[in-house]
Amino acid sequence: MLSIKDLTVNVGDKQILKGINLEIKAGEIHAIMGPNGSGKSTLSHVLSGKAGYEVTGGSVMYQGKDLLDMAPEIRAREGVFLAFQYPVEIPGVSNIYLLKAALNAIRKHHGLSEVDAMDFLTLVKHKVKLLEMDEKFLYRAVNEGFSGGEKKRNEILQMAILEPKLCILDETDSGLDIDALKVVAEGVNSLRSENRGFLMITHYQRLLDYIKPDYVHVLANGKIVKSGGAELALELEEKGYGWLEGQVAA
Amino acid sequence: MNTAITSRYVAEYDALAPTLPGQSLLWLQQLRRNALAKFSANGFPSPREEEWRYTNVSAIEKKLFTPSLNQLSNQVDANWLKTQQLADAWSVVLINGYFSIEYSQLEGLPESIVIMSIADALVKKSPLVESYAGQAVNHQEHGFVAFNTAYFTDGVLVHVPAKQVLTKPIQLLHIVTQADAMATTRTVILVDELAEAQVIETFVGLDNSYLTDAVTEVFVGKAAYLTLTKMQIESEKAYHFGGTYVRQAKDARFTHHNFAFGGLLARCDIHTDLDQASECELNGLYLGVKRQHIDNHTRINHLKPHAISREMYKGVLDDRAKGVFQGRVIVAEDAQKTDSQMNNRNLLLSDDAEADTKPQLEIYADDVKCGHGVTVGQLDEKSIFYLQSRCVDEETARNMLTFAFANEMVDKIKIKSLHDKVLEQVLVRFPQEGVEKDWL
Ligand SMILES: Nc1ncnc2c1ncn2[C@@H]1O[C@H](COP(=O)(O)OP(=O)(O)O)[C@@H](O)[C@H]1O
Ligand SMILES: [Mg+2]
């Protein structure tokens, strides 16, 4: 579903990603772990098409198409979803309005008619319940005045409603207390399916207690320095990142 | 500044004077003559005057606008006029500066409420007009007030007696149908002690070049409450100069919504004088496209203790449009415990658009809480990307954010029919591909 080859990315003159290789197949959950500043968010932004990053080499293929060629909204309509590390507040645009606009944009992209208003409400309310959120959130402006945890929950709510094919979660666990973490993890787990892939970016192993990854990769200084199974996360928890960062320097 | 055009207006005044209302009233004759003398000496305002720094009105001096001698109501398409009237309001219509009884909708208006032509009121020697006209603003204020005082052809007198609470809003619909016409109206609104009313002034015209010079004087009595909305949607070739001058008595509340959308060059002055423990809320939204120049001036005079003022003006400027905001808050020595907040936020949508903003606080009391903030900025790129990442294309994302910015001011309107009208006007000016009217 996603194939990243030798991806190098600059911000200004500074090289941030230094040759990333990663294959994600439908049905798989990949976790990327790494210390702060290693390039995790940069990778998630480049995949979703944020401006300000210069791809200097390599390629990213998504479902057989060149992902880097697509405008951000086309990537989103094609099923790439990024749950932001820092979700943006959009005063004056309500959650429910954005959800409807997004869902209809996806449907239009696939040649479908607009969603029926009743069906839409039913769907949204069902997902709101799943994430143990208050329905009032739907009518509030996107993320405006939300606590850190509420913002993260809202990202997962959007994901649950838009049903993307490739879910990228950038440090969704940070800022969540343990109860909220469980709810969010349940939301994510309910979306697990054999035709959906996940790229979970996290700094800690905590989230992986609730969402078990198939593969774990360690990103350090712009490179994947080690890959393994779920057990690698536990090893990192124990030893920290120091021993791996050493490998890069060498 | 006295110019050739000033002299021509003055030269034609004698011929015009007999057609102006109030010929038999000495006090008015005197007032008009004084105002004419002031206009004759100083002309229209010049950018050398501090309050006119950012707005050069010399464009109106290129031709002589002529007062229409009657309302010419036959030029009005009744169906079009209906679309401008609010369905759930009592409304009166002024055409080319003349009150037109023919289109008024006043059924069910309680008898104690006065809504009448000010020319009629003058003919009937209404003591109200004599007592109040010229009291909230003096013709010395600036050239357009002087001009208006000398030339006004008609206007509206609204009187809501004490303790009356109006169940429906009152709409004063000003229409200009004639090319090169000048519409000079004087309106007096009196809301007496403990009364409550909502008044809407709409300014609209056919697709011509014309000049509107409208002065509204407002008196909000003790503990009375007036909500006044100005919806300025003049033709895009028109010149609009409008002033609203308010006197608030003790405990009076005044809320103003100022939607400045139309006109090639539009200037609006809103002044209010606050007595003890009175409250005012001034809301404004100006939208400029193409080469529009839209200037809003507000002056809030805290004269006595414990008054509260809240002001929020927002501007959206595209193309080569220019927006001006000058907001003055003056706190007199006596006005202790004043609580005042003034804000102006501007959104520039193009590199050639411009916003000039100048908040001024003049505080002569020592125990007050006064704040102000201004911003001039563009759409937030982070927000645009966030919306794109949620499947919204870039253009729609920009539209949504622009609309959301403006809609904050539209949303403050409580009268549904008015709210929808204003919304419609916002959407006309910024086509909102992807933005639905049933904005949630
Ligand atoms: N817009 C930017 N301008 C300059 N440097 C940046 C920018 N974005 C990221 N960086 C740098 O790139 C590196 C990786 O950042 P990031 O991808 O946010 O790391 P992580 O998410 O792993 O903490 C850091 O050194 C950071 O300072
Ligand atoms: Mg990060």
Side-chain angles (χ1 to χ4, degrees):
Chain A
M1 144 173 295
L2 184 75
S3 169
I4 305 176
K5 289 214 167 71
D6 299 321
L7 182 68
T8 55
V9 171
N10 275 24
V11 174
D13 288 339
K14 192 176 161 201
Q15 191 174 47
I16 311 283
L17 299 183
K18 302 172 179 170
I20 304 279
N21 288 287
L22 186 64
E23 290 281 338
I24 299 179
K25 294 197 178 70
E28 293 177 351
I29 297 195
H30 290 243
I32 289 195
M33 303 183 70
N36 277 331
S38 57
K40 303 185 298 294
S41 290
T42 300
L43 178 61
S44 75
H45 289 153
V46 169
L47 292 179
S48 52
K50 189 172 177 180
Y53 300 93
E54 188 196 352
V55 175
T56 51
S59 67
V60 181
M61 299 300 285
Y62 168 70
Q63 295 191 316
K65 294 180 196 156
D66 185 348
L67 186 71
L68 301 177
D69 249 8
M70 299 179 204
E73 65 271 20
I74 304 297
R75 301 181 196 199
R77 292 171 195 170
E78 289 274 335
V80 177
F81 183 95
L82 168 62
F84 284 76
Q85 180 175 5
Y86 302 109
V88 181
E89 299 192 8
I90 317 271
V93 177
S94 75
N95 255 326
I96 192 146
Y97 183 86
L98 177 57
L99 285 167
K100 201 169 167 194
L103 196 62
N104 279 332
I106 293 172
R107 293 178 63 91
K108 195 170 166 196
H109 186 72
H110 292 109
L112 299 171
S113 62
E114 289 204 346
V115 62
D116 172 79
M118 285 314 291
D119 293 349
F120 173 69
L121 265 185
T122 312
L123 167 74
V124 167
K125 289 189 175 174
H126 170 70
K127 301 292 185 180
V128 162
K129 207 170 269 163
L130 182 75
L131 285 155
E132 296 179 18
M133 287 170 76
D134 189 331
E135 271 183 28
K136 282 190 197 121
F137 275 90
L138 291 171
Y139 301 96
R140 284 176 53 183
V142 178
N143 294 323
E144 192 183 30
F146 287 23
S147 72
E150 286 164 351
K151 285 180 183 168
K152 296 300 178 71
R153 233 183 249 224
N154 200 33
E155 296 288 286
I156 303 305
L157 173 72
Q158 295 175 352
M159 190 170 98
I161 289 165
L162 301 180
E163 301 189 319
K165 299 200 183 77
L166 175 64
C167 306
I168 306 167
L169 287 78
D170 191 357
E171 299 211 23
T172 297
D173 49 337
S174 60
L176 291 183
D177 62 33
I178 194 73
D179 293 329
L181 185 73
K182 281 184 193 164
V183 173
V184 163
E186 248 169 68
V188 173
N189 283 327
S190 74
L191 281 170
R192 289 183 83 150
S193 102
E194 57 192 24
N195 42 36
R196 186 169 287 135
F198 286 85
L199 180 59
M200 297 210 307
I201 293 169
T202 176
H203 187 71
Y204 304 102
Q205 118 90 21
R206 208 168 66 127
L207 182 65
L208 306 182
D209 288 341
Y210 300 96
I211 308 170
K212 193 169 173 292
D214 301 303
Y215 301 93
V216 174
H217 312 275
V218 180
L219 185 67
N221 198 12
K223 270 187 120 116
I224 291 179
V225 293
K226 197 167 175 64
S227 296
E231 71 291 342
L232 179 56
L234 294 167
E235 198 178 343
L236 288 165
E237 180 85 345
E238 218 166 277
K239 298 193 196 167
Y241 293 109
W243 58 289
L244 289 167
E245 281 176 288
Q247 286 189 350
V248 185
Chain B
M1 197 177 25
N2 185 301
T3 60
I5 206 88
T6 311
S7 305
R8 282 182 62 194
Y9 278 113
V10 174
E12 297 197 3
Y13 189 78
D14 284 336
L16 183 67
T19 68
L20 299 175
Q23 285 310 300
S24 60
L25 301 171
L26 270 180
W27 67 269
L28 184 59
Q29 289 306 311
Q30 196 58 47
L31 192 64
R32 288 204 195 260
R33 287 288 158 188
N34 291 344
L36 187 71
K38 156 81 181 166
F39 175 69
S40 174
N42 300 90
F44 293 114
S46 119
R48 275 177 306 208
E49 295 173 42
E50 181 56 26
E51 303 265 305
W52 292 82
R53 264 180 75 174
Y54 301 105
T55 297
N56 189 337
V57 306
S58 58
I60 65 166
E61 307 220 344
K62 293 199 180 103
K63 64 180 153 205
L64 195 71
F65 291 92
T66 48
S68 129
L69 291 177
N70 65 57
Q71 52 173 264
L72 296 167
S73 64
N74 57 335
Q75 292 187 352
V76 179
D77 171 354
N79 289 326
W80 173 77
L81 190 138
K82 277 218 174 62
T83 64
Q84 303 297 325
Q85 278 176 308
L86 297 174
D88 52 1
W90 288 301
S91 73
V92 293
V93 180
L94 292 105
I95 302 170
N96 299 316
Y98 291 88
F99 194 97
S100 159
I101 196 68
E102 158 179 19
Y103 294 107
S104 300
Q105 292 178 351
L106 296 172
E107 299 91 69
L109 183 72
E111 248 171 55
S112 58
I113 314 291
V114 175
I115 304 177
M116 71 186 297
S117 148
I118 212 153
D120 273 1
L122 289 167
V123 168
K124 293 182 180 139
K125 299 197 165 61
S126 154
L128 289 176
V129 183
E130 180 168 1
S131 312
Y132 289 99
Q135 297 305 305
V137 66
N138 186 283
H139 58 263
Q140 303 288 349
E141 180 65 35
H142 59 60
F144 288 102
V145 179
F147 189 84
N148 175 281
T149 307
Y151 286 90
F152 75 86
T153 50
D154 205 344
V156 189
L157 171 65
V158 177
H159 180 215
V160 185
K163 296 185 188 162
Q164 285 275 355
V165 176
L166 289 192
T167 52
K168 289 208 286 188
I170 299 169
Q171 183 189 21
L172 316 179
L173 175 56
H174 295 252
I175 294 174
V176 181
T177 60
Q178 222 187 347
D180 298 330
M182 67 187 210
T184 33
T185 53
R186 175 66 63 111
T187 290
V188 174
I189 300 172
L190 307 166
V191 181
D192 289 351
E193 195 168 332
L194 289 165
E196 277 184 34
Q198 297 179 307
V199 179
I200 298 126
E201 296 180 286
T202 306
F203 292 89
V204 61
L206 300 187
D207 184 26
N208 293 319
S209 171
Y210 59 86
L211 174 73
T212 293
D213 183 356
V215 171
T216 302
E217 297 185 80
V218 180
F219 300 84
V220 192
K222 268 190 207 162
Y225 183 21
L226 172 67
T227 301
L228 183 62
T229 302
K230 174 170 177 172
M231 188 174 167
Q232 188 275 95
I233 47 169
E234 305 268 28
S235 132
E236 59 180 45
K237 298 173 190 149
Y239 299 93
H240 176 97
F241 300 91
T244 303
Y245 302 90
V246 187
R247 288 281 168 88
Q248 293 182 241
K250 261 177 89 173
D251 298 313
R253 284 165 71 201
F254 173 68
T255 299
H256 194 258
H257 302 284
N258 179 8
F259 297 102
F261 297 170
L264 179 60
L265 172 60
R267 157 73 173 238
C268 180
D269 289 87
I270 312 287
H271 292 188
T272 186
D273 284 359
L274 295 168
D275 201 337
Q276 191 164 330
S278 58
E279 294 179 28
C280 79
E281 185 184 331
L282 304 187
N283 299 309
L285 176 65
Y286 44 101
L287 307 179
V289 297
K290 298 182 190 166
R291 287 175 168 273
Q292 280 184 288
H293 179 111
I294 302 189
D295 179 355
N296 285 293
H297 261 63
T298 63
R299 193 188 299 164
I300 300 172
N301 269 317
H302 280 267
L303 299 170
K304 291 282 160 57
H306 292 286
I308 300 173
S309 61
R310 291 285 177 271
E311 176 166 20
M312 171 60 97
Y313 265 67
K314 281 185 154 188
V316 183
L317 301 156
D318 201 356
D319 307 324
R320 309 181 71 85
K322 182 167 163 177
V324 178
F325 173 81
Q326 262 187 282
R328 271 172 83 187
V329 174
I330 305 157
V331 182
E333 203 178 333
D334 191 26
Q336 300 296 0
K337 305 286 180 189
T338 286
D339 178 356
S340 169
Q341 184 66 45
M342 167 170 48
N343 282 291
N344 174 228
R345 313 230 169 281
N346 293 281
L347 178 58
L348 301 182
L349 298 180
S350 98
D351 289 343
D352 296 321
E354 184 180 327
D356 295 307
T357 171
K358 191 173 167 203
Q360 292 164 275
L361 296 181
E362 294 161 39
I363 302 174
Y364 304 102
D366 48 28
D367 185 13
V368 301
K369 201 168 83 188
C370 292
H372 73 281
V374 300
T375 56
V376 178
Q378 285 144 2
L379 289 174
D380 175 33
E381 294 298 327
K382 272 195 188 129
S383 303
I384 293 169
F385 176 65
Y386 186 82
L387 293 175
Q388 285 182 283
S389 79
R390 298 301 178 253
C391 311
V392 177
D393 66 87
E394 184 179 340
E395 193 191 337
T396 304
R398 288 180 182 277
N399 287 345
M400 279 169 79
L401 293 170
T402 304
F403 180 74
F405 178 86
N407 192 47
E408 185 194 346
M409 304 316 291
V410 182
D411 250 1
K412 290 180 192 282
I413 309 175
K414 301 287 181 284
I415 304 165
K416 172 88 169 78
S417 60
L418 176 63
H419 172 273
D420 293 354
K421 267 260 169 328
V422 174
L423 192 61
E424 188 185 298
Q425 290 295 327
V426 173
L427 294 175
V428 167
R429 279 160 179 85
F430 295 98
Q432 299 290 321
E433 161 65 9
V435 173
E436 291 162 49
K437 279 201 187 168
D438 58 339
W439 186 265
L440 289 159

